[in-house]
Amino acid sequence: QVQLVESGGGLVQPGGSLRLSCRASRIIFSIVHMSWYRQAPGEQRESVAAITSDGSTNYADSVKGRFTISRDNPKNTMYLQMNSLKPEDTAVYYCKTRWVSRDYWGQGTQVTVSS
């Protein structure tokens, strides 16, 4: 019954920016670890960024300095601000959480970086 819904994906030119959102429901959002993953065609799903319940963050080396993960607990929403986008950032982006010892995934949102 946990639900995660991503939004904000789209087509952007190299060097541009996007902000992804992930809204969660049917969990106590304020106490869960949240993360963003992405999967490009033919590639394995990879971790992009993560944020703990108390706001500690981690980033993949490939996005460090360009992406910022954040959360707004009253809105049950996690964000991924993506700046200086590169074609290699093209992927389906997924949000993920763990609730009662089980992993939950959103449906994904497509990000395409192309001129």
Side-chain angles (χ1 to χ4, degrees), residues 18-87:
L18 285 173
R19 189 178 76 158
L20 306 183
S21 299
C22 174
R23 183 164 186 174
S25 60
R26 298 188 178 93
I27 62 171
I28 305 176
F29 183 80
S30 62
I31 68 171
V32 299
H33 182 279
M34 299 289 295
S35 56
W36 287 100
Y37 286 72
R38 67 186 181 188
Q39 187 167 24
E43 302 291 335
Q44 292 186 335
R45 189 171 297 184
E46 64 174 348
S47 177
V48 176
I51 185 166
T52 67
S53 60
D54 63 2
S56 179
T57 60
N58 291 105
Y59 298 92
D61 288 342
S62 59
V63 307
K64 194 171 298 182
R66 300 188 297 119
F67 291 11
T68 302
I69 189 171
S70 62
R71 64 195 297 160
D72 186 337
N73 287 342
K75 295 182 178 179
N76 284 8
T77 302
M78 172 180 65
Y79 303 96
L80 185 67
Q81 178 66 47
M82 305 186 295
N83 298 326
S84 302
L85 283 162
K86 304 174 181 179

